[in-house]
Amino acid sequence: MPDRSQESVNRADRILDAAGVLLLRHGYRKVTIDDVARQAEVGKGTVYLHWRSKEQLFTALVVRTSIDLTEELLAQLRADPSEVLPHRFVRSSFLAVVRRPLMLAQLMGDSELLGKLGEGPLRRLKAQSGDRYGRMMIERGLLRGDIPHVDYAMRASVLGFYLLESIDPGTREMTAETKADALAQVVRNAFEPAGAPDPAVVADAAAQLAGELESMISTFRVWIYEGGTP
Amino acid sequence: MPDRSQESVNRADRILDAAGVLLLRHGYRKVTIDDVARQAEVGKGTVYLHWRSKEQLFTALVVRTSIDLTEELLAQLRADPSEVLPHRFVRSSFLAVVRRPLMLAQLMGDSELLGKLGEGPLRRLKAQSGDRYGRMMIERGLLRGDIPHVDYAMRASVLGFYLLESIDPGTREMTAETKADALAQVVRNAFEPAGAPDPAVVADAAAQLAGELESMISTFRVWIYEGGTP
DNA sequence: TCAGTGACTGGTTTAGAAATCCGGTCACGA
DNA sequence: TCGTGACCGGATTTCTAAACCAGTCACTGA
């Protein structure tokens, strides 16, 4: 028998579901709090019992999606530590992002869909995490240290795979997996050292990355309730 | 002593110069034909002696810049045939584009600056040429044939180098050369076969590419006078 | 005679006012 | 105590009048 606060969490989730459906259909600007409340079958005031503003409501939605995505990556990493290798991890991240329209919109800076929700500290946090991941891989010898600006080059190359589709509609016929495989090839050939990596190093790196992902998830959990502006 | 038509060409060039200055400063929408005429110190009607519409005037400007860019690449290719190798050619193209704001704007689809001039047959032609270059390099064994979707992967990776700067302002501190070098590394490691290429193959490929560039330039020359819609 | 010009025209964009909308509050009812 | 929807006023949209500018063409002077 669910207690009072459990009910409240359920309802918060229902409201976020409603917000998600409407956001993807109409975009941030055209979705009103009234719409969300009606879709979630609650009164408008009820929405404000959970979040202080429209911006915080939709930020919570983006953060919830980020948690979901990060948990997926974490599960894959735990099932197979070699997921930590750049070509594997970048591949999984690519698929995890393109399958979540909200994440894709945030990464591509789609202000039509997200308003200015795309910016903000959330994006900075993710960028920082990417940086830390890169440095960690270089330190452990899982990314080539012999080429200058590996981090820059990898960021640039990967970005292109996310953005090409918006510039060249012809590529929309390829499946996400096909693109992800091509991306993995590029990352492996261009940025990873030749030869098989030491399994011990891989296991260790996987453990560290798992820790980082967990702490990201914790940070996200806090943000859901504080609207990303603590 | 310059004849009548030489004068006319000079004046057309002066008008295009004026249009270029104003376009970069204010963008397509805010530049009026009056402005251009005044900047070029001719009457407004005179502009219409050279081009049938505002769109054709600015299209001619973009095409003139494209010719200039293509001639630069052609000269480099003639000076050193190994410029035809993907990592070299992509590097030179990158530099040639980022040093010409109009070309960069067109490639990035900057509609603030170019209005809808960014679209159109010009862009399609350039995309096609890129495709043909890719196929040619694969046929001659200068791009790896063993990885699926090399063309797609290379287009995506290269695109990222053009676009990263607009997403991550931090990278603006790097010089264009540094970025171009990183790009060349990626292309070489990810897409070219290991080992030195056969000089005869290179020379032959260079000759063919030079031919293609020449024919592009010819096409551009026609378009200057026909506004890109023959 | 004709290249060059700028006043002129009417479709389009902009500016400003009026009307509508919607984020956020809160008094009330269950 | 929790949930609601009528209500408020700042923000956005809509409407209309004024300004603007692409493109034309009759005129000028070389």
Side-chain angles (χ1 to χ4, degrees):
Chain A
M1 171 181 170
D3 66 8
R4 211 125 184 73
S5 83
Q6 180 57 48
E7 266 177 50
S8 165
V9 167
N10 282 340
R11 199 177 44 205
D13 266 332
R14 277 215 337 274
I15 295 174
L16 287 182
D17 292 341
V21 169
L22 295 173
L23 183 65
L24 287 178
R25 198 176 309 161
H26 303 296
Y28 184 79
R29 237 172 44 91
K30 306 209 116 184
V31 175
T32 72
I33 296 286
D34 246 350
D35 294 338
V36 174
R38 209 165 313 129
Q39 175 90 12
E41 293 175 37
V42 296
K44 182 178 169 181
T46 307
V47 173
Y48 285 92
L49 295 178
H50 291 275
W51 298 277
R52 246 173 295 182
S53 69
K54 179 179 179 180
E55 189 175 331
Q56 287 193 9
L57 163 65
F58 284 97
T59 299
L61 175 64
V62 172
V63 171
R64 190 181 68 165
T65 311
S66 303
I67 291 176
D68 184 53
L69 184 154
T70 311
E71 280 175 341
E72 180 180 313
L73 294 178
L74 188 55
Q76 287 177 295
L77 185 64
R78 290 209 165 112
D80 178 0
S82 62
E83 270 289 308
V84 78
L85 295 176
H87 74 275
R88 297 278 301 274
F89 191 64
V90 166
R91 181 187 190 282
S92 299
S93 302
F94 179 82
L95 286 173
V97 168
V98 298
R99 284 175 181 150
R100 288 174 178 82
L102 247 51
M103 297 293 94
L104 194 56
Q106 191 191 28
L107 193 142
M108 311 212 324
D110 181 344
S111 63
E112 183 76 19
L113 188 65
L114 286 179
K116 50 220 144 125
L117 247 57
E119 304 149 26
L122 191 63
R123 215 176 140 144
R124 259 198 301 287
L125 175 70
K126 291 177 179 179
Q128 277 172 20
S129 306
D131 279 0
R132 273 216 305 287
Y133 171 77
R135 259 178 280 129
M136 175 181 134
M137 289 298 119
I138 295 175
E139 279 167 21
R140 293 172 185 271
L142 297 175
L143 269 181
R144 291 173 60 168
D146 63 323
I147 52 182
H149 304 288
V150 217
D151 50 339
Y152 166 76
M154 195 160 104
R155 284 227 310 288
S157 306
V158 172
L159 179 68
F161 281 81
Y162 286 101
L163 296 182
L164 181 55
E165 139 160 5
S166 66
I167 297 219
D168 176 358
T171 64
R172 248 164 250 173
E173 288 163 20
M174 295 173 68
T175 67
E177 273 83 7
T178 308
K179 294 176 182 174
D181 287 337
L183 172 56
Q185 279 264 7
V186 170
V187 170
R188 168 123 78 169
N189 291 329
F191 306 116
E192 292 185 24
D198 176 351
V201 171
V202 171
D204 209 56
Q208 187 183 342
L209 181 58
E212 305 248 354
L213 294 182
E214 275 167 6
S215 97
M216 261 180 93
I217 292 174
S218 307
T219 309
F220 288 154
R221 287 238 146 82
V222 174
W223 276 6
I224 280 207
Y225 301 108
E226 303 199 348
T229 34
Chain B
M1 170 180 169
D3 66 10
R4 210 122 186 76
S5 82
Q6 180 58 49
E7 266 176 49
S8 166
V9 168
N10 281 340
R11 199 177 42 207
D13 268 332
R14 276 216 338 273
I15 296 174
L16 287 182
D17 291 342
V21 169
L22 294 174
L23 182 65
L24 287 178
R25 198 177 308 160
H26 304 295
Y28 184 79
R29 239 173 42 91
K30 306 209 113 183
V31 175
T32 72
I33 296 286
D34 246 350
D35 294 338
V36 174
R38 210 166 309 130
Q39 174 89 11
E41 292 176 38
V42 297
K44 183 178 171 180
T46 307
V47 173
Y48 285 92
L49 294 178
H50 291 275
W51 297 278
R52 247 177 301 208
S53 68
K54 179 180 179 179
E55 188 175 331
Q56 287 194 9
L57 164 65
F58 284 97
T59 298
L61 175 63
V62 171
V63 171
R64 191 181 68 166
T65 311
S66 302
I67 292 175
D68 185 53
L69 183 155
T70 310
E71 281 175 340
E72 181 180 312
L73 293 177
L74 188 55
Q76 287 177 296
L77 186 65
R78 289 209 165 112
D80 178 1
S82 62
E83 269 288 310
V84 78
L85 295 176
H87 75 276
R88 298 278 301 274
F89 191 64
V90 166
R91 180 185 190 283
S92 298
S93 302
F94 179 83
L95 286 173
V97 168
V98 299
R99 284 174 181 151
R100 289 175 177 81
L102 245 52
M103 295 294 93
L104 194 56
Q106 192 191 28
L107 192 141
M108 310 211 325
D110 180 344
S111 63
E112 182 77 18
L113 188 66
L114 287 180
K116 47 217 145 129
L117 247 57
E119 304 149 25
L122 191 61
R123 218 175 140 146
R124 258 196 302 287
L125 175 70
K126 291 179 180 176
Q128 276 172 21
S129 306
D131 279 358
R132 273 216 305 287
Y133 171 77
R135 259 178 280 130
M136 174 181 134
M137 289 297 119
I138 295 174
E139 278 167 22
R140 292 170 186 272
L142 298 175
L143 269 180
R144 290 174 60 169
D146 63 323
I147 51 183
H149 304 288
V150 217
D151 51 338
Y152 166 76
M154 194 160 106
R155 284 228 308 290
S157 307
V158 172
L159 179 69
F161 281 81
Y162 285 102
L163 296 182
L164 181 56
E165 139 160 5
S166 66
I167 298 217
D168 176 359
T171 63
R172 249 165 250 172
E173 288 164 20
M174 295 173 69
T175 66
E177 273 83 7
T178 307
K179 293 176 184 175
D181 288 336
L183 171 56
Q185 280 264 6
V186 170
V187 170
R188 169 125 75 169
N189 290 330
F191 308 114
E192 292 185 24
D198 175 351
V201 171
V202 170
D204 209 55
Q208 186 183 341
L209 181 58
E212 305 248 352
L213 295 182
E214 275 168 8
S215 96
M216 260 180 94
I217 292 173
S218 307
T219 309
F220 288 153
R221 287 239 146 82
V222 174
W223 277 7
I224 280 206
Y225 301 107
E226 303 199 349
T229 34

